[in-house]
Amino acid sequence: MIPYGRQDISDEDIAAVVAVLKSDFLTQGPAVPAFEAAVAARVGAAHAVAVNSATSALHVACMALGLGPGDWLWTVPTTFVASANCGLYCGASVDFVDIDPVTWTMCPKALASKLDQAKVEGRLPKVIVPVHLCGQSADMAEIARLARAYGVRVIEDASHSIGADHEGRPVGDCRYSDICVFSFHPVKIITTAEGGLATTQDPVLARKMELARSHGITRDPAEMTQAPDGPWYYQQVSLGYNYRMTEMQAALGLSQMSRLDAFVARRRTLAARYNRLLGNLPLVRPSPPADVASAWHLYVVRVPADRHRTVFDTLRADGIGVNLHYIPVHTQPHYQSMGFRPGQFPQAEAYYAEAISIPLYAGLSDADQDRVVAALERALT
Ligand SMILES: *Cc1c(COP(=O)(O)O)cnc(C)c1O
């Protein structure tokens, strides 16, 4: 079975992890700050806070922005559940903005009209979470313009998108957002096994996220309510969690960062090949806007809804490990129990009825990619 995605671990990656295992620190040592510095430098952010998953990064990002009971967080239905759940973790309410039918990311028109209505009803969101689906930045300039106009904070869910560019600049520099979140799950662009990271240009937000990741505990006298009792002293100044990344994970991440450009280049080559090889098939290919250089976490095709299931099953039977990203979050039972109903976000639902993620990862060979294309041809004709 050719999987839809998979990690690429080199001997250097393995050596980096083993070196940590032989060192003094398995956690809270030098590797995490080194990894944070490498990501911050690569994406052009002043601050980076590494945590044990992107889910945790979304949570600490929401906490740093002060999201709480009585607030609203909006995201898109076409995402992993974590983009929405982070709002619920904070006791906020969650709602959705439909996707654009062409780019499949948050639709600025739908956002504009929903903001307009929410303002009238006095229930503007505190935070919106656009998702850079498949590695392709959402329309951040327009989303940021609307967010500023309505006084809304922005967290980019860039779980798919480390290494992507938008307007010639890296995703993660937060020029259109407060915080940007990356995932390092093995299917993503680079991996730390489990792991995530939040970037920001704001030192106050960065410090709040650091506190939230580690129990709300500080050892900095300047942050304490009194002078330290002694050298052992720390204070818990807010409520935090243990969301720390281990040194082994950070060492793997740092080693993987040195291969990021090569990973993304290979993904772009494979995506361009798919674009060429699938050109004559009855399917819709991804169409990133001209100002977006996708990191190509996923290559999603849309096939006619009446043949979707057959094509999917035929590909799986043919040894092609296709998948579907994503089931609209508002149709999940947990969200249905909060009152959401099918039919509320027609573009996300239409996408779900047609989308198939076909294999794409740095280690995919041209020969295996040709197998995928041949299988798709057979399934569709
Ligand atoms: C993978 C993913 C997450 C969660 O990432 P973890 O690191 O597994 O917690 C969140 N949002 C999106 C869009 C994702 O793809």
Side-chain angles (χ1 to χ4, degrees):
M1 185 78 94
I2 302 174
Y4 82 87
R6 105 164 238 119
Q7 71 276 14
D8 185 319
I9 302 296
S10 67
D11 289 344
E12 289 74 22
D13 293 338
I14 293 167
V17 174
V18 171
V20 165
L21 285 167
K22 293 177 176 172
S23 78
D24 290 338
F25 294 100
L26 303 186
T27 185
Q28 294 175 286
V32 167
F35 177 52
E36 290 172 336
V39 176
R42 175 62 177 76
V43 305
H47 307 276
V49 180
V51 287
N52 58 1
S53 70
T55 302
S56 302
L58 287 163
H59 187 191
V60 299
C62 288
M63 289 172 69
L65 292 174
L67 190 72
D71 294 330
W72 286 87
L73 175 145
W74 294 359
T75 186
V76 282
T78 303
T79 186
F80 187 56
V81 292
S83 316
N85 288 345
C86 56
L88 303 183
Y89 296 159
C90 292
S93 303
V94 168
D95 201 353
F96 301 92
V97 180
D98 210 352
I99 58 169
D100 176 273
V102 175
T103 63
W104 313 337
T105 55
M106 184 179 277
C107 175
K109 280 205 198 89
L111 176 62
S113 63
K114 198 176 175 90
L115 284 167
D116 211 35
Q117 195 188 338
K119 188 171 182 181
V120 173
E121 292 166 4
R123 45 166 227 124
L124 280 169
K126 179 171 253 176
V127 174
I128 54 174
V129 184
V131 177
H132 301 331
L133 192 74
C134 303
Q136 166 187 329
S137 174
D139 185 353
M140 288 310 298
E142 186 57 14
I143 289 169
R145 192 187 64 75
L146 289 164
R148 266 195 304 274
Y150 288 88
V152 178
R153 313 298 293 268
V154 180
I155 300 170
E156 297 171 76
D157 185 342
S159 291
H160 298 181
S161 305
I162 194 161
D165 290 310
H166 177 215
E167 300 173 340
R169 290 162 68 183
V171 167
D173 71 1
C174 299
R175 69 193 178 283
Y176 291 129
S177 67
D178 296 284
I179 296 167
C180 182
V181 165
F182 298 107
S183 172
F184 309 123
H185 181 278
V187 296
K188 308 287 165 76
I189 311 272
I190 64 163
T191 191
T192 61
E194 297 283 359
L197 180 144
T199 58
T200 181
Q201 301 292 6
D202 182 336
V204 176
L205 291 179
R207 185 60 192 144
K208 283 184 177 168
M209 292 194 285
E210 286 172 356
L211 285 169
R213 126 180 108 177
S214 199
H215 311 283
I217 281 176
T218 182
R219 290 179 181 278
D220 178 357
E223 293 177 329
M224 294 180 186
T225 57
Q226 61 165 74
D229 289 348
W232 61 86
Y233 196 66
Y234 59 81
Q235 274 193 346
Q236 184 191 345
V237 294
S238 54
L239 183 62
Y241 297 81
N242 181 351
Y243 282 168
R244 291 188 303 262
M245 175 179 275
T246 68
E247 291 286 287
M248 290 80 77
Q249 291 171 307
L252 177 56
L254 190 58
S255 182
Q256 289 258 304
M257 273 305 283
S258 70
R259 309 172 65 208
L260 172 63
D261 291 342
F263 286 161
V264 172
R266 177 62 185 158
R267 285 173 176 275
R268 286 181 179 154
T269 300
L270 289 164
R273 258 189 119 238
Y274 270 143
N275 287 342
R276 211 166 52 242
L277 297 171
L278 300 177
N280 294 321
L281 292 184
L283 49 75
V284 175
R285 287 171 290 143
S287 52
D291 62 357
V292 166
S294 179
W296 292 104
H297 163 54
L298 297 173
Y299 194 99
V300 172
V301 296
R302 289 177 67 162
V303 301
D306 57 352
R307 305 175 62 192
H308 182 246
R309 182 60 195 269
T310 317
V311 171
F312 195 99
D313 290 347
T314 306
L315 288 166
R316 280 269 177 102
D318 242 354
I320 313 300
V322 287
N323 217 316
L324 208 176
H325 304 89
Y326 288 95
I327 307 161
V329 177
H330 71 283
T331 67
Q332 294 290 354
H334 188 69
Y335 284 85
Q336 297 272 298
S337 76
M338 298 184 309
F340 291 102
R341 291 289 170 260
Q344 279 185 292
F345 302 99
Q347 294 301 340
E349 292 167 36
Y351 169 95
Y352 176 58
E354 299 175 355
I356 301 178
S357 305
I358 62 176
L360 181 63
Y361 48 93
L364 181 66
S365 67
D366 287 8
D368 275 351
Q369 189 182 31
D370 292 341
R371 254 187 72 198
V372 175
V373 172
L376 251 176
E377 257 161 19
R378 276 196 302 278
L380 275 162
T381 51

